[in-house]
Amino acid sequence: MNNYTIYDEFITLGKFLKEAAIIETGGAAKQFLATNDVLYNGEYENRRGKKLYAGDTVEFPGFGLKIDILAATPEEIAERESERAEEDRVKAIVKKMNADNKKADSQKKAASNNKEQYFKRTIAKKAKPKFPGAK
């Protein structure tokens, strides 16, 4: 028997299927539930929005898989929160770096355009040489 730990009060069946790697995307939940038998606490269930709580059991007879839903311990919750905080910190750093790179690229592009415009104006202002006998 397998166990799945939830960190919130509940998890929906569709989200559970995705997080348990039974399906690849959340959008596939509806079709999966329509084509496969799923037992929720011993009764057939086909609603992807069904809320699963700690202590519930989800069974997939076609796969020979039975999963118990467990509540996270305070230590697991603290560890998960620290991992999320670190992930958020890294995302913020990457976002700032991308913004700085974008700003630098646009400044380079603007400088390049300014040089091109300067040369176009300078060349356009120069008088063409006049040859004797030319009108």
Side-chain angles (χ1 to χ4, degrees):
M1 184 173 303
N2 298 317
N3 296 326
Y4 180 82
T5 305
I6 59 172
Y7 295 90
D8 298 319
E9 181 184 352
F10 65 87
I11 186 171
T12 62
L13 182 56
K15 188 174 180 183
F16 167 74
L17 291 171
K18 184 175 182 242
E19 288 188 9
I22 295 172
I23 58 174
E24 289 187 25
T25 64
K30 187 174 185 177
Q31 183 167 353
F32 178 85
L33 292 170
T35 58
N36 295 287
D37 289 336
V38 177
L39 297 175
Y40 167 74
N41 292 335
E43 297 179 13
Y44 285 98
E45 185 60 60
N46 64 355
R47 298 174 292 169
R48 65 178 180 222
K50 177 66 178 169
K51 295 177 181 176
L52 309 177
Y53 296 92
D56 290 339
T57 302
V58 181
E59 189 174 351
F60 303 94
F63 299 103
L65 182 63
K66 187 173 185 178
I67 301 173
D68 285 331
I69 309 296
L70 304 175
T73 64
E75 294 84 20
E76 291 173 328
I77 292 172
E79 181 181 338
R80 184 165 189 239
E81 290 302 319
S82 67
E83 287 174 0
R84 281 193 169 175
E86 177 65 14
E87 185 178 309
D88 291 343
R89 186 185 73 81
V90 170
K91 283 181 182 179
I93 291 170
V94 170
K95 186 176 181 178
K96 185 180 182 317
M97 288 173 57
N98 287 339
D100 291 346
N101 287 341
K102 188 174 182 179
K103 187 184 233 181
D105 287 345
S106 66
Q107 288 173 347
K108 285 179 187 177
K109 191 178 275 187
S112 170
N113 287 341
N114 288 342
K115 286 179 186 177
E116 290 174 16
Q117 291 173 0
Y118 170 77
F119 287 120
K120 286 180 182 176
R121 285 193 308 260
T122 308
I123 293 172
K125 285 184 179 178
K126 287 185 180 179
K128 293 182 181 178
K130 291 188 178 180
F131 296 102
K135 292 186 180 181

